[in-house]
Amino acid sequence: MPKNSKISAIQTIASQAYQTFKNTPTSGNNVDNKVFAEQQTELVSLMSQITAADLNIAPPKNLSASSSQPPSAPVTYMHICETDAFSMGVFLLKAEASIPLHDHPDMHGMLKVLYGKVDIRCYDKLDQAAGAEAEHERQEDAVSKALLRSSGQFSAQSGPCVLSPAKDNLHEIDAVDGPAAFLDILAPPYCPDDGRDCHYYKVLHTAGRKDQSEEDEVWLLEIPQPDDFWCGGEPYPGPQVSV
Ligand SMILES: [Fe+2]
């Protein structure tokens, strides 16, 4: 390696993500959870420091949509890298865009806002047995009971929002007060052939008290990908990474 070469912040994150997730603790394997927790803490620390400028990304200058243009994707993804252990990229949300409620089956994740603000609500499905015996009027398997685990606003000054197979695994993300962007790590990557496909959900109603911000029970209905949500792609302009 050249003596004065400087390792980019995103390369450091990619290397740490690989170290953290190369033996991802999912339901199917046994790993040292203490080691995993230490590695994940280090990754959270690195993610907390990454900025939009580190990735050569800046908020769009023209915030007003032109009505004469065909509608472009409300959300755009910039792919950075993918290995068997994790995938990493940047999501760009237009003003008022939302990523609808979706899951990350048996996956870990980390989301760090680069610019703008997002509201994130995180849910977890309750025990399937509890959902099956409930006397809900809908009988289909597509309905499940879940808990609203957390709800909060994240900006570039916030630390990453962290999800795991067991906690905060489902989330919905809304851009607030203008466009927003966030760096996203998923581990392992989505892979339908391995049972890690993305499903979308609609909250049917809240069973808990409205004034509670946590641990509220809701019913979730699995739905097709909403018509008003689709994700375009554009090239990632930041430093290249290798893992
Ligand atoms: Fe997600």
Side-chain angles (χ1 to χ4, degrees):
M1 183 180 296
K3 199 173 178 187
N4 292 325
S5 69
K6 188 170 182 302
I7 298 174
S8 66
I10 193 67
Q11 175 65 62
T12 305
I13 285 176
S15 299
Q16 183 59 37
Y18 183 75
Q19 285 303 314
T20 304
F21 297 119
K22 62 184 178 183
N23 298 306
T24 307
T26 59
S27 57
N29 64 10
N30 263 329
V31 299
D32 186 330
N33 282 323
K34 183 163 176 285
V35 171
F36 173 75
E38 290 170 355
Q39 295 283 359
Q40 191 180 41
T41 298
E42 177 62 20
L43 182 57
V44 166
S45 173
L46 294 170
M47 288 278 279
S48 298
Q49 299 166 48
I50 194 85
T51 66
D54 289 331
L55 306 180
N56 296 334
I57 289 168
K61 290 198 173 79
N62 180 11
L63 302 182
S64 59
S66 168
S67 57
S68 63
Q69 304 234 332
S72 55
V75 177
T76 305
Y77 184 68
M78 294 173 168
H79 172 80
I80 298 177
C81 67
E82 179 165 333
T83 74
D84 287 346
F86 74 99
S87 59
M88 183 163 70
V90 175
F91 282 94
L92 310 175
L93 279 68
K94 289 186 171 172
E96 299 180 26
S98 293
I99 299 179
L101 183 60
H102 61 280
D103 61 357
H104 315 81
D106 224 11
M107 296 156 67
H108 295 262
M110 222 173 266
L111 182 170
K112 169 66 172 67
V113 173
L114 299 168
Y115 65 73
K117 288 182 288 189
V118 295
D119 279 342
I120 305 179
R121 284 171 301 288
C122 298
Y123 299 83
D124 286 311
K125 284 186 182 177
L126 286 171
D127 191 333
Q128 292 296 337
E133 69 188 23
E135 70 295 346
H136 199 265
E137 58 193 22
R138 294 175 187 268
Q139 298 297 311
E140 309 97 274
D141 292 334
V143 175
S144 50
K145 208 172 192 180
L147 284 179
L148 173 63
R149 287 276 195 197
S150 60
S151 176
Q153 192 166 94
F154 293 75
S155 72
Q157 283 70 49
S158 309
C161 181
V162 178
L163 66 88
S164 75
K167 189 153 190 304
D168 295 305
N169 189 265
L170 293 81
H171 61 201
E172 55 186 329
I173 302 164
D174 302 328
V176 180
D177 297 337
F182 61 85
L183 177 64
D184 193 57
I185 292 177
L186 292 175
Y190 280 118
C191 179
D193 288 345
D194 283 347
R196 297 190 303 278
D197 202 359
C198 183
H199 310 88
Y200 293 91
Y201 299 88
K202 176 182 175 188
V203 177
L204 292 181
H205 66 79
T206 302
R209 295 200 306 269
K210 284 281 186 199
D211 58 353
Q212 281 183 312
S213 61
E214 294 185 350
E215 304 292 312
D216 280 1
E217 290 188 2
V218 299
W219 285 102
L220 300 184
L221 174 66
E222 187 177 336
I223 58 172
Q225 180 170 328
D227 289 342
D228 59 354
F229 170 71
W230 73 103
C231 192
E234 64 180 271
Y236 160 68
Q240 291 305 299
V241 304
S242 59
V243 280

